[in-house]
Amino acid sequence: SQTIHQWPATLVQPVGSPLSLECTVEGTSNPNLYWYRQAAGRGLQLLFYSVGIGQISSEVPQNLSASRPQDRQFILSSKKLLLSDSGFYLCAWSVHNEKLFFGSGTQLSVL
Amino acid sequence: TQLLEQSPQFLSIQEGENLTVYCNSSSVFSSLQWYRQEPGEGPVLLVTVVTGGEVKKLKRLTFQFGDARKDSSLHITAAQPGDTGLYLCAGNSNSGYALNFGKGTSLLVTP
């Protein structure tokens, strides 16, 4: 069966510090991978998606970036965090643009 | 980006009551999905509707896709405290790689 791992679960970072969130998927090949951000229990904002290794599409311009160094690994990064980067970050995967399977999320607080 | 409007934003009811939440758009979707999210966790898929006019039932939950495939509703019969959560609808256009989410309906069912 397929599983998705996302870590860390919570993170507190000072403004201006770097960020690296990692997500890995097991049990499937060549999945579509996604990073979403959710503010205060509300709707999900799509940040990045990837249909293959090294292929990243950005939906919202910001100081975040994403990389897919391996088929089932998706990384969200920032060189310098802003206060507005605080939120709940969710990684997800899908096959053929159908239903999404989400990780358990990372609650990021930038102070 | 296709906009999905969900209503109401918040709903607080007592155990045993019935409720309906709505998901509306001006765009046509090839499919619509409903997810439920509990605090601190990722959303979990409840159902996917793909055919205009389609009705799907999941125990006490009834999902309907509009004839024109622009809207959907979720009806819960005899709500229970375990139904508490954020209900999100998401749609995929014919050409999109990623799902677009509504802002959700936050449901609280009190004993």
Side-chain angles (χ1 to χ4, degrees):
Chain A
S1 63
Q2 301 90 0
T3 56
I4 179 169
H5 303 278
Q6 186 181 342
W7 67 93
T10 59
L11 191 59
V12 180
Q13 291 284 99
V15 170
S17 64
L19 172 73
S20 181
L21 301 181
E22 190 163 343
C23 172
T24 59
V25 180
E26 296 177 359
T28 187
S29 296
N30 197 30
N32 294 337
L33 296 173
Y34 308 84
W35 279 110
Y36 283 89
R37 178 169 61 200
Q38 185 176 35
R42 301 306 293 159
L44 277 67
Q45 178 188 35
L46 178 64
L47 301 176
F48 301 95
Y49 69 89
S50 172
V51 299
I53 296 174
Q55 300 179 58
I56 308 294
S57 295
S58 174
E59 290 292 304
V60 182
Q62 56 215 321
N63 70 321
L64 298 172
S65 63
S67 62
R68 185 170 178 173
Q70 300 180 41
D71 181 44
R72 290 170 288 177
Q73 183 185 27
F74 206 23
I75 298 171
L76 182 68
S77 304
S78 174
K79 292 182 179 178
K80 289 185 178 181
L81 284 168
L82 306 173
L83 287 174
S84 57
D85 292 323
S86 294
F88 191 51
Y89 288 82
L90 288 157
C91 180
W93 70 274
S94 74
V95 177
H96 303 308
N97 310 326
E98 295 180 353
K99 56 188 175 183
L100 289 175
F101 298 92
F102 285 89
S104 53
T106 295
Q107 183 64 53
L108 172 65
S109 298
V110 182
L111 305 177
Chain B
T1 302
Q2 298 81 23
L3 189 61
L4 285 163
E5 304 268 1
Q6 288 193 247
S7 61
Q9 289 188 8
F10 302 97
L11 189 56
S12 180
I13 62 171
Q14 290 194 318
E15 183 175 5
E17 292 184 23
N18 301 330
L19 66 115
T20 303
V21 298
Y22 301 91
C23 174
N24 296 294
S25 175
S26 58
S27 301
V28 176
F29 290 93
S30 58
S31 65
L32 266 178
Q33 299 174 14
W34 285 92
Y35 292 78
R36 181 170 68 207
Q37 184 181 22
E38 298 189 15
E41 298 182 8
V44 176
L45 179 69
L46 296 174
V47 78
T48 301
V49 287
V50 296
T51 305
E54 180 178 7
V55 176
K56 281 192 175 180
K57 291 192 174 184
L58 185 65
K59 296 184 180 179
R60 294 176 292 100
L61 279 60
T62 302
F63 304 84
Q64 185 162 7
F65 201 11
D67 291 340
R69 291 186 292 136
K70 293 182 178 181
D71 55 85
S72 181
S73 64
L74 160 59
H75 181 81
I76 301 179
T77 303
Q80 299 178 2
D83 296 325
T84 293
L86 180 67
Y87 288 82
L88 296 157
C89 69
N92 192 356
S93 70
N94 290 326
S95 60
Y97 276 102
L99 289 177
N100 295 297
F101 281 81
K103 293 185 178 181
T105 293
S106 182
L107 172 65
L108 174 63
V109 182
T110 54

